[in-house]
Amino acid sequence: MDIQLSDHFTYKRLLRFTLPAIGMMVVMSSYTVVDGLFISNVVGKSAFSAVNLMWPFTGLFGAVGLMVGTGGSALVAKTMGEGDREKAKQIFTMLIAVLIGLGLALACAGVASVEWVALKLGAEEALLQYCITYGIILFAAIPAYMLQMAFQTLLITAEKPQMAFILSIASGVTNILLDFLLIYVFPFGIAGAAVATIMGQIIGGFIPLIYFSRKNSSLLRFVKFKWDGKSLFKACTNGVSEMISNLSFSFLNILYNYQLLRLLGENGVAAYGIIMYVAYIFAGVFMGYSVGCAPIISYHYGAQNEPELKNMFKKSNVIIGGFALVLTLLAELTAPFLADCFVGYDPELKVLAIYALRLYSICFLLCGFNMFASALFTALNNGLVSGLLSGVRMMGFEASMVILIPIIWGVKGIWLSVLVAEILALLMNICVYLGMNKRYHYL
């Protein structure tokens, strides 16, 4: 039986509905992981470090697509919950049209500025050419990347989470196969990795365009629309927290790399790259769950169904707690294996990577709760609170801790700085939950 947004959700039904979104986010998070595995083991440590320098910057563009997707999904789902499905379709169509135009403009700007960006990120000598090659190819495909990020949530709002998951699998398989062919079989090196990545993005971004352009079995399709600046503004402000999260994540990666280049050199950047690959995938689990359940929350908020809001809040935090325990334990146990996969050829770097990963991974106990807090208020169409929670957590707590904690604890402190930030963010989120409950009644 198909699961609908209007249903009552038990744990089993909630997991069934959100698992495709979780799988989708994990698969998408694996793109750069696969690139890293092939590049590190076939091309070498310098190329591996170049990918770790440039990939966070490309995330800035993906953040715009995620903002439109998550904020738009909240608005579209709320509009459907209010009973106006035709208006929901018009808003949906307008958002995609805006995203395509913006993506083309950003692609031109990105390609033109790639060398300047690489230099500002600290790339020199051999790293610089690798960064330029990788960056130009990725920047050229920004429209596809932005659409792929937006459709992650919009397909779920259209009650097609399985389609979103299948597309993510197809994109991931394409990326892996092309990585093998263009790096291992044919020696195209870092350029081959970039081509493999954008081909996966094209599948995830363009196939939904074709699907929604035609009559289909989902709740949404493209229709004629009139310009609605108010709805565009509302969608963007709804999703600003997700954009802030991705922008901040990219900025923090850049800040980490700067600190590590200064403290540990190229080995520090390489070790952090392994941590980020694990963090991408684990954050994908938490983000996938939040993305998957957000349209349900938005729908019942629009329908003023307070009992179901309370049900979703309680069950979501229990599920996230379970994921947090499993993922933290998994990261601690597999640290030696992961380090060996990426940098087993360098014993000194392998030891550093194991040590760093085991310290950093403690933060997985808390980060899922903090990610859900921001996603909850996006789903409730309160972009201001959602944006503040996300911004303070990442640009306030995490950025400051990355700078301050190493001063106190040295290199060890840089691996523990995110844990300190997540503790502060959790305390902040609990206070906000208590303060906003009178308005939304989720407790």
Side-chain angles (χ1 to χ4, degrees), residues 75-76 79 87-96 228 231:
L75 181 58
V76 168
T79 304
K87 182 179 179 182
K89 293 176 184 177
Q90 292 175 10
I91 294 171
F92 166 70
T93 308
M94 179 188 67
L95 293 176
I96 296 302
D228 186 350
S231 292

Side-chain angles (χ1 to χ4, degrees), residues 122-432:
E124 297 177 353
E125 299 176 358
L127 284 182
L128 179 59
Q129 191 55 52
Y130 281 129
C131 288
I132 293 172
T133 301
Y134 191 69
I136 286 176
I137 297 171
L138 289 188
F139 291 163
I142 283 171
Y145 183 33
M146 291 172 65
L147 286 171
Q148 183 185 35
M149 296 295 284
F151 281 127
Q152 290 175 9
T153 52
L154 290 167
L155 280 165
I156 297 168
T157 302
E159 293 185 346
K160 291 295 179 180
Q162 290 82 7
M163 180 180 177
F165 179 58
I166 290 170
L167 281 174
S168 68
I169 293 294
S171 300
V173 169
T174 299
N175 186 35
I176 293 170
L177 290 177
L178 288 178
D179 269 331
F180 176 76
L181 288 173
L182 300 179
I183 300 175
Y184 187 78
V185 178
F186 302 104
F188 289 107
I190 200 168
V195 170
T197 296
I198 68 169
M199 290 305 297
Q201 293 169 352
I202 287 170
I203 289 173
F206 289 169
I207 289 180
L209 280 179
I210 299 171
Y211 177 77
F212 287 116
S213 297
R214 307 171 63 182
K215 187 176 181 180
N216 59 72
S217 60
S218 78
L219 296 179
L220 298 172
R221 64 183 175 86
F222 295 142
V223 297
K224 290 184 179 180
F225 68 92
K226 294 181 180 179
W227 179 257
D228 186 350
K230 183 178 179 181
S231 292
L232 177 62
F233 178 77
K234 182 63 176 176
C236 291
T237 53
N238 281 346
V240 73
S241 66
E242 279 66 32
M243 184 183 74
I244 290 173
S245 293
N246 274 261
L247 289 175
S248 300
F249 192 65
S250 296
F251 172 76
L252 285 168
N253 284 348
I254 293 168
L255 182 59
Y256 256 108
N257 285 329
Y258 174 80
Q259 287 277 68
L260 288 166
L261 275 172
R262 183 175 63 85
L263 296 171
L264 292 171
E266 192 175 310
N267 273 3
V269 175
Y272 182 65
I274 299 171
I275 291 174
M276 283 302 95
Y277 292 151
V278 177
Y280 285 147
I281 293 176
F282 286 10
V285 174
F286 297 126
M287 178 62 74
Y289 178 81
S290 298
V291 164
C293 72
I296 304 170
I297 295 170
S298 297
Y299 185 95
H300 288 288
Y301 173 60
Q304 299 183 353
N305 187 349
E306 291 182 3
E308 193 60 27
L309 287 179
K310 293 179 180 178
N311 175 58
M312 288 295 298
F313 182 85
K314 176 184 175 181
K315 286 183 169 59
S316 292
N317 280 288
V318 171
I319 290 171
I320 288 170
F323 283 146
L325 289 172
V326 171
L327 293 178
T328 303
L329 182 61
L330 184 63
E332 296 291 339
L333 292 176
T334 60
F337 170 76
L338 294 170
D340 191 55
C341 287
F342 284 95
V343 292
Y345 54 82
D346 188 326
E348 180 183 353
L349 179 53
K350 178 181 174 180
V351 171
L352 174 62
I354 294 170
Y355 172 76
L357 181 57
R358 282 181 164 161
L359 288 178
Y360 186 98
S361 295
I362 303 171
C363 78
F364 297 137
L365 287 170
L366 303 178
C367 66
F369 295 105
N370 293 328
M371 293 172 70
F372 176 74
S374 177
L376 172 67
F377 288 102
T378 297
L380 293 171
N381 282 255
N382 193 328
L384 177 61
V385 171
S386 179
L388 285 173
L389 292 180
S390 182
V392 172
R393 172 189 167 227
M394 302 192 77
M395 296 302 290
F397 295 146
E398 293 193 15
S400 60
M401 292 303 104
V402 170
I403 296 171
L404 296 175
I405 298 298
I407 296 175
I408 301 171
W409 288 341
V411 174
K412 180 180 179 180
I414 203 167
W415 309 123
L416 289 172
S417 57
V418 173
L419 174 62
V420 177
E422 294 291 0
I423 292 172
L424 296 173
L426 183 63
L427 294 174
M428 174 186 67
N429 290 332
I430 291 172
C431 292
V432 173

Side-chain angles (χ1 to χ4, degrees), residues 5-62:
L5 298 179
S6 56
D7 290 346
H8 168 70
F9 282 81
T10 61
Y11 282 108
K12 181 178 179 180
R13 186 177 290 264
L14 184 54
L15 284 171
R16 279 183 58 199
F17 189 83
T18 57
L19 278 175
I22 294 170
M24 174 183 66
M25 294 297 293
V26 169
V27 170
M28 290 191 64
S29 300
S30 71
Y31 291 175
T32 189
V33 178
V34 174
D35 287 352
L37 277 170
F38 278 100
I39 290 170
S40 181
N41 287 284
V42 179
V43 186
K45 184 168 64 176
S46 293
F48 181 54
S49 297
V51 170
N52 295 331
L53 280 176
M54 292 301 295
W55 179 255
F57 189 81
T58 66
L60 303 179
F61 302 105

Side-chain angles (χ1 to χ4, degrees), residues 95-107 143 146:
L95 293 176
I96 296 302
V98 169
L99 202 58
I100 291 172
L102 185 59
L104 291 170
L106 289 175
M146 291 172 65

